[in-house]
Short mmCIF file of all heavy atoms in Angstrom, two decimals:
data_model
loop_
_atom_site.label_atom_id
_atom_site.label_comp_id
_atom_site.label_asym_id
_atom_site.label_seq_id
_atom_site.Cartn_x
_atom_site.Cartn_y
_atom_site.Cartn_z
N THR N 16 42.22 118.25 101.43
CA THR N 16 41.60 118.32 102.76
C THR N 16 42.62 118.11 103.88
O THR N 16 42.23 117.93 105.03
CB THR N 16 40.43 117.32 102.94
OG1 THR N 16 40.94 115.98 103.04
CG2 THR N 16 39.43 117.44 101.81
N GLY N 17 43.88 118.16 103.56
CA GLY N 17 44.92 117.97 104.58
C GLY N 17 45.58 119.26 104.97
O GLY N 17 45.01 120.36 104.86
N GLY N 18 46.81 119.14 105.42
CA GLY N 18 47.56 120.31 105.85
C GLY N 18 49.03 119.93 105.98
O GLY N 18 49.43 118.79 105.72
N ALA N 19 49.82 120.88 106.44
CA ALA N 19 51.26 120.66 106.58
C ALA N 19 51.56 119.46 107.46
O ALA N 19 52.57 118.78 107.28
CB ALA N 19 51.92 121.92 107.13
N TYR N 20 50.68 119.17 108.42
CA TYR N 20 50.90 118.05 109.34
C TYR N 20 51.08 116.72 108.61
O TYR N 20 51.74 115.80 109.12
CB TYR N 20 49.74 117.94 110.33
CG TYR N 20 48.40 117.62 109.71
CD1 TYR N 20 47.99 116.31 109.50
CD2 TYR N 20 47.53 118.65 109.33
CE1 TYR N 20 46.77 116.02 108.92
CE2 TYR N 20 46.30 118.37 108.75
CZ TYR N 20 45.93 117.05 108.55
OH TYR N 20 44.71 116.76 107.97
N GLU N 21 50.53 116.58 107.39
CA GLU N 21 50.63 115.32 106.67
C GLU N 21 52.06 115.01 106.26
O GLU N 21 52.43 113.82 106.12
CB GLU N 21 49.73 115.36 105.43
CG GLU N 21 48.25 115.38 105.75
CD GLU N 21 47.38 115.45 104.51
OE1 GLU N 21 47.74 116.18 103.58
OE2 GLU N 21 46.33 114.77 104.49
N VAL N 22 52.86 116.02 106.04
CA VAL N 22 54.24 115.82 105.60
C VAL N 22 55.26 116.36 106.60
O VAL N 22 56.47 116.29 106.36
CB VAL N 22 54.49 116.46 104.22
CG1 VAL N 22 53.73 115.70 103.15
CG2 VAL N 22 54.09 117.94 104.21
N ASN N 23 54.81 116.88 107.73
CA ASN N 23 55.72 117.46 108.72
C ASN N 23 56.77 116.48 109.24
O ASN N 23 57.91 116.89 109.49
CB ASN N 23 54.94 118.06 109.88
CG ASN N 23 54.60 119.53 109.65
OD1 ASN N 23 55.24 120.21 108.84
ND2 ASN N 23 53.59 120.03 110.35
N PRO N 24 56.43 115.19 109.45
CA PRO N 24 57.50 114.28 109.91
C PRO N 24 58.67 114.20 108.93
O PRO N 24 59.83 114.17 109.36
CB PRO N 24 56.77 112.93 110.03
CG PRO N 24 55.35 113.30 110.30
CD PRO N 24 55.12 114.53 109.46
N LEU N 25 58.39 114.19 107.65
CA LEU N 25 59.46 114.18 106.66
C LEU N 25 60.19 115.51 106.65
O LEU N 25 61.43 115.55 106.57
CB LEU N 25 58.90 113.88 105.27
CG LEU N 25 59.88 113.97 104.10
CD1 LEU N 25 61.07 113.05 104.30
CD2 LEU N 25 59.17 113.67 102.78
N ALA N 26 59.46 116.61 106.75
CA ALA N 26 60.08 117.93 106.78
C ALA N 26 61.03 118.04 107.98
O ALA N 26 62.15 118.55 107.87
CB ALA N 26 59.01 119.02 106.85
N ARG N 27 60.58 117.54 109.12
CA ARG N 27 61.42 117.58 110.33
C ARG N 27 62.69 116.76 110.13
O ARG N 27 63.78 117.18 110.52
CB ARG N 27 60.61 117.06 111.52
CG ARG N 27 61.31 117.17 112.86
CD ARG N 27 60.32 117.06 114.01
NE ARG N 27 59.45 115.89 113.86
CZ ARG N 27 58.14 115.96 113.62
NH1 ARG N 27 57.56 117.15 113.46
NH2 ARG N 27 57.41 114.87 113.53
N TYR N 28 62.55 115.59 109.52
CA TYR N 28 63.71 114.73 109.25
C TYR N 28 64.71 115.46 108.35
O TYR N 28 65.93 115.43 108.61
CB TYR N 28 63.24 113.43 108.59
CG TYR N 28 64.34 112.47 108.23
CD1 TYR N 28 64.76 111.49 109.12
CD2 TYR N 28 64.99 112.55 106.99
CE1 TYR N 28 65.78 110.60 108.79
CE2 TYR N 28 66.00 111.68 106.65
CZ TYR N 28 66.39 110.71 107.55
OH TYR N 28 67.40 109.83 107.23
N LEU N 29 64.24 116.10 107.30
CA LEU N 29 65.13 116.79 106.38
C LEU N 29 65.82 117.98 107.05
O LEU N 29 67.00 118.26 106.80
CB LEU N 29 64.35 117.25 105.15
CG LEU N 29 63.80 116.13 104.25
CD1 LEU N 29 62.96 116.71 103.13
CD2 LEU N 29 64.93 115.27 103.68
N ARG N 30 65.09 118.67 107.91
CA ARG N 30 65.70 119.80 108.62
C ARG N 30 66.79 119.34 109.57
O ARG N 30 67.79 120.03 109.78
CB ARG N 30 64.63 120.58 109.38
CG ARG N 30 63.66 121.36 108.49
CD ARG N 30 62.70 122.20 109.29
NE ARG N 30 61.81 122.98 108.44
CZ ARG N 30 60.49 122.84 108.41
NH1 ARG N 30 59.90 121.95 109.20
NH2 ARG N 30 59.75 123.57 107.61
N GLU N 31 66.59 118.16 110.16
CA GLU N 31 67.55 117.64 111.14
C GLU N 31 68.79 117.04 110.48
O GLU N 31 69.85 116.97 111.11
CB GLU N 31 66.88 116.59 112.03
CG GLU N 31 65.82 117.17 112.97
CD GLU N 31 65.04 116.09 113.71
OE1 GLU N 31 65.23 114.89 113.37
OE2 GLU N 31 64.26 116.43 114.61
N THR N 32 68.67 116.60 109.24
CA THR N 32 69.76 115.86 108.61
C THR N 32 70.43 116.61 107.46
O THR N 32 71.39 116.11 106.88
CB THR N 32 69.25 114.50 108.08
OG1 THR N 32 68.17 114.71 107.15
CG2 THR N 32 68.77 113.62 109.23
N THR N 33 69.90 117.80 107.10
CA THR N 33 70.49 118.59 106.02
C THR N 33 70.54 120.06 106.44
O THR N 33 69.98 120.44 107.48
CB THR N 33 69.67 118.48 104.71
OG1 THR N 33 68.45 119.22 104.87
CG2 THR N 33 69.34 117.03 104.37
N ASP N 34 71.17 120.86 105.61
CA ASP N 34 71.16 122.31 105.82
C ASP N 34 70.26 122.99 104.79
O ASP N 34 70.40 124.17 104.50
CB ASP N 34 72.57 122.88 105.75
CG ASP N 34 73.23 122.65 104.39
OD1 ASP N 34 72.64 121.94 103.54
OD2 ASP N 34 74.33 123.19 104.17
N TRP N 35 69.32 122.26 104.24
CA TRP N 35 68.41 122.78 103.22
C TRP N 35 67.38 123.74 103.82
O TRP N 35 67.07 123.68 105.02
CB TRP N 35 67.65 121.65 102.54
CG TRP N 35 68.51 120.60 101.90
CD1 TRP N 35 69.87 120.67 101.65
CD2 TRP N 35 68.08 119.32 101.42
NE1 TRP N 35 70.30 119.52 101.05
CE2 TRP N 35 69.24 118.67 100.89
CE3 TRP N 35 66.85 118.67 101.38
CZ2 TRP N 35 69.17 117.39 100.35
CZ3 TRP N 35 66.78 117.40 100.83
CH2 TRP N 35 67.94 116.77 100.31
N ILE N 36 66.86 124.59 102.97
CA ILE N 36 65.69 125.39 103.33
C ILE N 36 64.46 124.54 102.99
O ILE N 36 64.21 124.22 101.83
CB ILE N 36 65.65 126.72 102.56
CG1 ILE N 36 66.86 127.58 102.93
CG2 ILE N 36 64.35 127.47 102.84
CD1 ILE N 36 66.94 128.88 102.15
N VAL N 37 63.71 124.15 104.02
CA VAL N 37 62.56 123.26 103.84
C VAL N 37 61.28 124.06 104.05
O VAL N 37 61.06 124.64 105.12
CB VAL N 37 62.62 122.08 104.83
CG1 VAL N 37 61.40 121.17 104.65
CG2 VAL N 37 63.91 121.29 104.62
N SER N 38 60.45 124.10 103.03
CA SER N 38 59.21 124.87 103.07
C SER N 38 58.00 123.94 103.04
O SER N 38 57.92 123.05 102.18
CB SER N 38 59.15 125.82 101.87
OG SER N 38 57.91 126.49 101.80
N VAL N 39 57.07 124.14 103.98
CA VAL N 39 55.86 123.32 104.06
C VAL N 39 54.64 124.23 104.17
O VAL N 39 54.07 124.42 105.24
CB VAL N 39 55.91 122.35 105.27
CG1 VAL N 39 54.83 121.29 105.13
CG2 VAL N 39 57.27 121.70 105.40
N PRO N 40 54.22 124.81 103.07
CA PRO N 40 53.07 125.73 103.09
C PRO N 40 51.75 124.98 103.21
O PRO N 40 51.68 123.77 102.98
CB PRO N 40 53.18 126.45 101.75
CG PRO N 40 53.80 125.42 100.85
CD PRO N 40 54.78 124.67 101.70
N THR N 41 50.71 125.71 103.55
CA THR N 41 49.36 125.16 103.62
C THR N 41 48.54 125.74 102.47
O THR N 41 48.41 126.95 102.33
CB THR N 41 48.68 125.49 104.95
OG1 THR N 41 49.46 124.92 106.02
CG2 THR N 41 47.28 124.92 105.01
N LEU N 42 47.99 124.87 101.64
CA LEU N 42 47.20 125.32 100.49
C LEU N 42 45.97 126.09 100.94
O LEU N 42 45.42 125.82 102.02
CB LEU N 42 46.77 124.11 99.66
CG LEU N 42 47.89 123.28 99.01
CD1 LEU N 42 47.31 122.01 98.40
CD2 LEU N 42 48.63 124.10 97.96
N PRO N 43 45.49 127.04 100.15
CA PRO N 43 44.30 127.82 100.51
C PRO N 43 43.11 126.92 100.84
O PRO N 43 42.83 125.95 100.13
CB PRO N 43 44.03 128.64 99.23
CG PRO N 43 45.38 128.78 98.59
CD PRO N 43 46.09 127.49 98.86
N GLY N 44 42.44 127.25 101.95
CA GLY N 44 41.27 126.51 102.38
C GLY N 44 41.56 125.26 103.18
O GLY N 44 40.64 124.61 103.70
N HIS N 45 42.85 124.90 103.28
CA HIS N 45 43.24 123.67 103.95
C HIS N 45 43.78 123.93 105.35
O HIS N 45 43.77 125.04 105.83
CB HIS N 45 44.29 122.93 103.11
CG HIS N 45 43.74 122.34 101.86
ND1 HIS N 45 43.38 123.10 100.76
CD2 HIS N 45 43.51 121.06 101.50
CE1 HIS N 45 42.94 122.31 99.79
NE2 HIS N 45 43.01 121.07 100.21
N GLY N 46 44.24 122.86 106.01
CA GLY N 46 44.76 122.97 107.35
C GLY N 46 43.90 122.19 108.33
O GLY N 46 43.03 121.40 107.94
N ARG N 47 44.15 122.38 109.60
CA ARG N 47 43.38 121.67 110.63
C ARG N 47 41.91 122.03 110.57
O ARG N 47 41.04 121.19 110.84
CB ARG N 47 43.95 122.00 112.02
CG ARG N 47 45.34 121.43 112.28
CD ARG N 47 45.30 119.93 112.41
NE ARG N 47 46.60 119.37 112.76
CZ ARG N 47 46.85 118.08 112.93
NH1 ARG N 47 45.88 117.20 112.73
NH2 ARG N 47 48.06 117.67 113.24
N ASN N 48 41.62 123.29 110.25
CA ASN N 48 40.23 123.73 110.08
C ASN N 48 40.01 124.04 108.60
O ASN N 48 40.65 124.93 108.04
CB ASN N 48 39.96 124.98 110.93
CG ASN N 48 40.10 124.71 112.41
OD1 ASN N 48 39.53 123.76 112.94
ND2 ASN N 48 40.89 125.53 113.09
N LEU N 49 39.12 123.28 107.99
CA LEU N 49 38.91 123.41 106.55
C LEU N 49 37.94 124.53 106.20
O LEU N 49 36.94 124.73 106.87
CB LEU N 49 38.37 122.08 105.99
CG LEU N 49 39.27 120.86 106.17
CD1 LEU N 49 38.57 119.60 105.68
CD2 LEU N 49 40.60 121.06 105.44
N HIS N 50 38.27 125.25 105.12
CA HIS N 50 37.41 126.30 104.58
C HIS N 50 37.44 126.17 103.05
O HIS N 50 38.06 126.97 102.35
CB HIS N 50 37.89 127.68 105.02
CG HIS N 50 37.92 127.85 106.51
ND1 HIS N 50 36.78 128.07 107.25
CD2 HIS N 50 38.96 127.80 107.39
CE1 HIS N 50 37.11 128.17 108.53
NE2 HIS N 50 38.41 128.01 108.64
N LEU N 51 36.75 125.15 102.56
CA LEU N 51 36.85 124.79 101.15
C LEU N 51 35.63 125.19 100.33
O LEU N 51 35.48 124.77 99.18
CB LEU N 51 37.06 123.27 101.03
CG LEU N 51 38.38 122.75 101.60
CD1 LEU N 51 38.36 121.22 101.66
CD2 LEU N 51 39.56 123.25 100.77
N GLU N 52 34.77 126.02 100.91
CA GLU N 52 33.54 126.40 100.21
C GLU N 52 33.82 127.10 98.88
O GLU N 52 33.10 126.91 97.90
CB GLU N 52 32.68 127.31 101.10
CG GLU N 52 32.21 126.65 102.41
CD GLU N 52 33.29 126.67 103.49
OE1 GLU N 52 34.37 127.27 103.25
OE2 GLU N 52 33.06 126.09 104.56
N ASP N 53 34.86 127.93 98.85
CA ASP N 53 35.17 128.68 97.64
C ASP N 53 36.51 128.24 97.03
O ASP N 53 37.19 129.04 96.37
CB ASP N 53 35.22 130.18 97.95
CG ASP N 53 33.89 130.70 98.48
OD1 ASP N 53 32.86 130.35 97.88
OD2 ASP N 53 33.89 131.44 99.48
N ALA N 54 36.86 127.00 97.25
CA ALA N 54 38.16 126.51 96.79
C ALA N 54 38.17 126.31 95.28
O ALA N 54 37.15 125.96 94.67
CB ALA N 54 38.48 125.19 97.49
N HIS N 55 39.34 126.54 94.68
CA HIS N 55 39.50 126.35 93.24
C HIS N 55 40.84 125.67 92.97
O HIS N 55 41.86 126.01 93.56
CB HIS N 55 39.47 127.69 92.50
CG HIS N 55 38.14 128.36 92.54
ND1 HIS N 55 37.10 127.99 91.72
CD2 HIS N 55 37.68 129.38 93.33
CE1 HIS N 55 36.05 128.76 91.98
NE2 HIS N 55 36.37 129.60 92.95
N ALA N 56 40.82 124.73 92.04
CA ALA N 56 42.04 124.02 91.67
C ALA N 56 43.11 124.98 91.19
O ALA N 56 44.29 124.86 91.54
CB ALA N 56 41.74 122.97 90.60
N ARG N 57 42.72 125.95 90.38
CA ARG N 57 43.71 126.89 89.83
C ARG N 57 44.36 127.71 90.95
O ARG N 57 45.53 128.11 90.82
CB ARG N 57 43.04 127.81 88.81
CG ARG N 57 41.95 128.70 89.34
CD ARG N 57 41.38 129.60 88.24
NE ARG N 57 40.32 130.47 88.74
CZ ARG N 57 39.05 130.14 88.82
NH1 ARG N 57 38.67 128.93 88.42
NH2 ARG N 57 38.14 130.99 89.28
N GLU N 58 43.62 127.96 92.04
CA GLU N 58 44.18 128.69 93.16
C GLU N 58 45.25 127.86 93.87
O GLU N 58 46.30 128.38 94.27
CB GLU N 58 43.07 129.07 94.14
CG GLU N 58 43.54 129.89 95.33
CD GLU N 58 42.41 130.20 96.30
OE1 GLU N 58 41.34 129.56 96.21
OE2 GLU N 58 42.61 131.08 97.16
N TRP N 59 44.99 126.56 94.03
CA TRP N 59 45.98 125.68 94.67
C TRP N 59 47.25 125.60 93.83
O TRP N 59 48.36 125.65 94.37
CB TRP N 59 45.39 124.29 94.88
CG TRP N 59 44.16 124.28 95.74
CD1 TRP N 59 43.84 125.17 96.72
CD2 TRP N 59 43.08 123.34 95.69
NE1 TRP N 59 42.63 124.84 97.29
CE2 TRP N 59 42.14 123.72 96.68
CE3 TRP N 59 42.81 122.21 94.91
CZ2 TRP N 59 40.96 123.02 96.90
CZ3 TRP N 59 41.64 121.50 95.14
CH2 TRP N 59 40.73 121.90 96.12
N LEU N 60 47.09 125.48 92.52
CA LEU N 60 48.25 125.39 91.64
C LEU N 60 49.04 126.70 91.65
O LEU N 60 50.27 126.69 91.73
CB LEU N 60 47.81 125.06 90.22
CG LEU N 60 47.22 123.66 90.01
CD1 LEU N 60 46.64 123.55 88.60
CD2 LEU N 60 48.27 122.59 90.23
N ALA N 61 48.34 127.82 91.58
CA ALA N 61 49.01 129.13 91.58
C ALA N 61 49.75 129.36 92.90
O ALA N 61 50.87 129.90 92.91
CB ALA N 61 47.99 130.24 91.34
N PHE N 62 49.14 128.94 94.01
CA PHE N 62 49.78 129.10 95.31
C PHE N 62 51.07 128.29 95.37
O PHE N 62 52.10 128.78 95.86
CB PHE N 62 48.81 128.64 96.40
CG PHE N 62 49.36 128.73 97.80
CD1 PHE N 62 49.30 129.92 98.49
CD2 PHE N 62 49.93 127.63 98.40
CE1 PHE N 62 49.80 130.02 99.79
CE2 PHE N 62 50.44 127.71 99.69
CZ PHE N 62 50.38 128.91 100.38
N ALA N 63 51.03 127.05 94.88
CA ALA N 63 52.23 126.21 94.87
C ALA N 63 53.32 126.83 94.00
O ALA N 63 54.51 126.79 94.35
CB ALA N 63 51.88 124.81 94.39
N GLU N 64 52.94 127.39 92.88
CA GLU N 64 53.90 128.05 92.00
C GLU N 64 54.57 129.23 92.72
O GLU N 64 55.79 129.43 92.62
CB GLU N 64 53.21 128.52 90.72
CG GLU N 64 52.77 127.39 89.81
CD GLU N 64 51.92 127.87 88.65
OE1 GLU N 64 51.53 129.06 88.66
OE2 GLU N 64 51.67 127.08 87.73
N GLU N 65 53.78 130.00 93.45
CA GLU N 65 54.32 131.14 94.18
C GLU N 65 55.31 130.69 95.26
O GLU N 65 56.36 131.31 95.47
CB GLU N 65 53.19 131.94 94.82
CG GLU N 65 52.30 132.67 93.81
CD GLU N 65 51.06 133.26 94.45
OE1 GLU N 65 50.92 133.13 95.69
OE2 GLU N 65 50.24 133.84 93.72
#
Side-chain angles (χ1 to χ4, degrees):
T16 72
Y20 63 88
E21 292 179 320
V22 291
N23 269 339
L25 174 57
R27 185 162 51 248
Y28 179 91
L29 294 176
R30 290 185 178 117
E31 292 173 352
T32 58
T33 72
D34 61 353
W35 303 347
I36 297 177
V37 179
S38 174
V39 194
T41 299
L42 296 171
H45 289 73
R47 291 291 184 180
N48 297 309
L49 299 175
H50 300 283
L51 295 169
E52 298 81 4
D53 300 314
H55 292 281
R57 62 179 180 273
E58 182 182 15
W59 300 333
L60 292 171
F62 179 84
E64 291 172 350
E65 291 171 2

